[in-house]
């Protein structure tokens, strides 16, 4: 059942070209040249007239929600708030009938997310669900939604569900941008063409597996890790850190790279590995400066860069080159090496990667 892989987690990491494609199937219609999403169609006017989107989720799904904040603001020009379901539900939040709540959950059973939905519903908001499990409690509690078609995720650490969520959220942001008139036909078409290439680019990123295993061997005994990224790669930094801590039990923190100088930079010395996601995008130059700041304090830099980058090569101890893609789609590619890095480190430390201590696949208690 593990299809020849040693663990479900590795199998699921390698399934991503397929699960991303499955999550786009019937939605990204390249031949017809349009986008299609059943759950969106019925609520199209709500989405067009919405004044705000509130995303509620937990854990990795919350990170997918953070990516959605960048996507929806960028493409659909709508204000977005991304909330931990556990905080939102107890905060007496301001919710109106013109708000759309997007609830993201792999299992569809997370107690806090479900409670956040019920609260938002009672205030008249429209609830759109993004779930992986068909017929789950959250899927049933929402007004409309779109399933991620990632297939069953067995490994407790979420991998293919995350990229499937980001895929569906990307399609949703593109559709909203089109219907709200904030995305030109040209730009929409460009994004569609690029999105269509993502499974192949993820496939290519997976070829880095051996290289990443070698990097993992260098760092498997360290007590701490820092992950830095900006823009679309900030949520990816958070997700990379979460993956590492939950399966390898190494303490890791993800930060927006520019926040480093407001505190975490104090942690950096010759023993601190710093993973920096530094792909070619609008924040590239700024991230390069952040790398220099880390280097000046002798931090050990592992950089995820765009293929062909020869600037960072001279600054980092290790570079991991991923295929180029449009800025808005970068998380789908840049997260892959971080999943593999945490997997290999955890295996080398003898951890039970599929069932890490203290964690459950679905968190049905608050
Ligand atoms: C991380 C992880 C958890 C879940 C979180 C939400 O790898 O698995 O952080 O993402 O418990 O779960 P769902 O998405 O099922 O609501």
């Amino acid at each position: 059942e593990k299809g020849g892989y040693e663990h479900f987690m590795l199998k699921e990491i390698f399934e991503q070209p397929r699960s991303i494609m499955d999550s786009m199937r019937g939605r990204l219609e390249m031949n017809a040249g349009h986008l299609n999403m059943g759950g969106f169609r019925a609520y199209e006017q709500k989405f067009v007239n919405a004044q705000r989107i509130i995303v509620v989720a937990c854990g990795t799904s919350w990170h997918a929600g953070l990516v959605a904040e960048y996507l929806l603001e960028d493409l659909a020009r709508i204000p977005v708030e991304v909330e931990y379901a556990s905080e939102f539900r107890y905060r007496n939040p301001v919710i109106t009938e013109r708000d759309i709540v997007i609830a993201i959950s792999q299992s569809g059973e997370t107690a806090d997310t479900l409670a956040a939905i019920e609260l938002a519903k009672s205030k008249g908001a429209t609830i759109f669900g993004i779930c992986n499990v068909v017929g789950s409690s959250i899927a049933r509690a929402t007004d409309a939604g779109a399933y991620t078609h990632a297939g069953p995720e067995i490994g407790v650490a979420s991998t293919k569900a995350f990229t499937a969520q980001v895929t569906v959220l990307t399609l949703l942001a593109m559709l909203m941008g089109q219907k709200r008139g904030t995305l030109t036909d040209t730009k929409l078409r460009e994004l569609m063409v690029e999105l269509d290439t993502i499974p192949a680019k993820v496939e290519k990123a997976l070829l880095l597996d051996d290289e990443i295993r070698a990097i993992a061997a260098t760092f498997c005994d360290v007590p701490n890790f820092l992950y830095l990224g900006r823009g679309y790669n900030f949520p990816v930094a958070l997700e990379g850190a979460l993956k590492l801590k939950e399966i390898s039990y190494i303490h890791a923190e993800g930060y927006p790279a520019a926040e480093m100088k407001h505190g975490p930079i104090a942690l950096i010395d010759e023993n601190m590995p710093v993973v920096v996601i530094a792909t070619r995008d609008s924040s590239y130059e700024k991230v390069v400066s952040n790398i220099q700041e880390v280097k000046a304090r002798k931090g050990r830099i592992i950089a995820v860069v765009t293929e062909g980058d020869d600037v960072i090569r001279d600054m980092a101890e290790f570079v991991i080159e991923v295929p180029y893609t449009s800025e808005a789609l970068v998380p789908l590619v840049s997260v892959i090496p971080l999943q593999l890095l945490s997997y290999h480190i955890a295996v080398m430390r003898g951890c039970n990667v599929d069932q890490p201590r203290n964690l459950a696949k679905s968190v049905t208690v608050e």
Side-chain angles (χ1 to χ4, degrees):
E1 23 129 77
K2 290 181 199 152
Y5 290 95
E6 203 183 330
H7 298 97
F8 282 109
M9 183 180 177
L10 190 62
K11 169 174 176 270
E12 289 161 4
I13 290 173
F14 273 83
E15 272 170 4
Q16 290 175 108
R18 177 63 193 275
S19 51
I20 291 172
M21 201 144 31
D22 288 344
S23 300
M24 300 193 300
R25 181 163 300 119
R27 294 171 175 165
L28 178 68
E29 305 260 33
M30 292 308 289
N31 293 336
H34 65 234
L35 299 172
N36 186 30
M37 192 180 276
F40 179 85
R41 209 176 312 117
Y43 283 82
E44 189 176 311
Q45 278 318 305
K46 285 264 185 199
F47 273 100
V48 169
N49 298 323
Q51 60 183 12
R52 180 173 66 151
I53 287 188
I54 305 170
V55 178
V56 296
C58 303
T60 288
S61 298
W62 183 80
H63 295 154
L66 273 188
V67 175
E69 177 172 27
Y70 287 81
L71 286 165
L72 288 161
E73 292 193 354
D74 229 6
L75 309 181
R77 306 301 301 142
I78 185 160
V80 180
E81 282 164 38
V82 188
E83 306 276 357
Y84 287 115
S86 56
E87 285 299 313
F88 180 81
R89 63 179 289 199
Y90 288 119
R91 211 182 51 213
N92 194 13
V94 179
I95 311 168
T96 77
E97 287 165 13
R98 288 189 59 199
D99 290 329
I100 292 182
V101 170
I102 299 181
I104 310 172
S105 176
Q106 187 285 127
S107 63
E109 300 298 341
T110 302
D112 281 320
T113 307
L114 193 54
I117 290 170
E118 298 301 347
L119 173 66
K121 238 188 188 172
S122 73
K123 312 267 185 196
T126 300
I127 321 288
F128 191 89
I130 296 182
C131 296
N132 196 44
V133 178
V134 176
S136 54
S137 305
I138 291 175
R140 284 184 280 117
T142 51
D143 296 305
Y147 282 111
T148 47
H149 296 288
E153 191 180 61
I154 311 292
V156 163
S158 191
T159 53
K160 65 174 180 171
F162 173 78
T163 47
Q165 288 164 345
V166 173
T167 300
V168 171
L169 289 160
T170 303
L171 289 163
L172 184 65
M174 288 162 68
L175 259 172
M176 258 188 99
Q178 181 187 32
K179 303 298 179 195
R180 287 167 66 91
T182 53
L183 197 55
T184 62
D185 286 347
T186 318
K187 177 79 181 148
L188 179 66
R189 184 69 202 169
E190 271 170 27
L191 277 170
M192 287 174 67
V193 168
E194 193 55 33
L195 190 55
D196 194 44
T197 69
I198 290 294
K201 289 179 177 176
V202 168
E203 192 82 65
K204 200 159 177 216
L206 290 167
L207 297 175
L208 297 162
D209 192 37
D210 285 338
E211 203 179 303
I212 293 169
R213 193 187 300 116
I215 299 173
T218 310
F219 293 103
C220 65
D221 292 322
V222 303
N224 296 290
F225 254 90
L226 209 52
Y227 286 73
L228 304 176
R230 297 177 81 125
Y232 280 95
N233 280 322
F234 158 53
V236 176
L238 298 186
E239 176 59 8
L242 178 62
K243 284 292 87 90
L244 187 70
K245 53 192 143 185
E246 64 185 335
I247 60 169
S248 75
Y249 318 137
I250 293 175
H251 169 245
E253 284 192 61
Y255 255 93
E259 270 294 302
M260 196 180 57
K261 61 173 74 65
H262 300 285
I265 199 164
L267 294 166
I268 295 176
D269 62 14
E270 67 279 8
N271 299 314
M272 179 65 97
V274 184
V275 177
V276 188
I277 308 131
T279 50
R280 280 268 175 208
D281 55 36
S282 60
S283 46
Y284 176 77
E285 303 294 338
K286 304 234 177 253
V287 178
V288 169
S289 310
N290 298 136
I291 291 176
Q292 277 157 341
E293 290 156 12
V294 174
K295 200 172 160 61
R297 284 143 191 104
K298 302 194 171 62
R300 303 184 66 180
I301 296 154
I302 304 147
V304 176
V305 302
T306 303
E307 267 171 8
D309 187 310
D310 45 23
V311 174
I312 297 175
R313 178 170 305 285
D314 297 331
M315 301 162 57
E317 184 172 345
F318 293 99
V319 293
I320 300 170
E321 295 189 41
V322 295
Y324 175 81
T325 185
S326 313
E327 180 157 3
L329 307 180
V330 150
L332 291 168
V333 178
S334 60
V335 76
I336 305 294
L338 306 190
Q339 295 170 342
L340 288 169
L341 183 66
S342 60
Y343 171 78
H344 288 299
I345 290 178
V347 169
M348 286 169 193
R349 290 166 70 88
C351 298
N352 183 348
V353 294
D354 282 337
Q355 284 186 295
R357 68 189 183 200
N358 310 339
L359 294 175
K361 188 63 189 163
S362 52
V363 183
T364 54
V365 293
E366 71 167 288

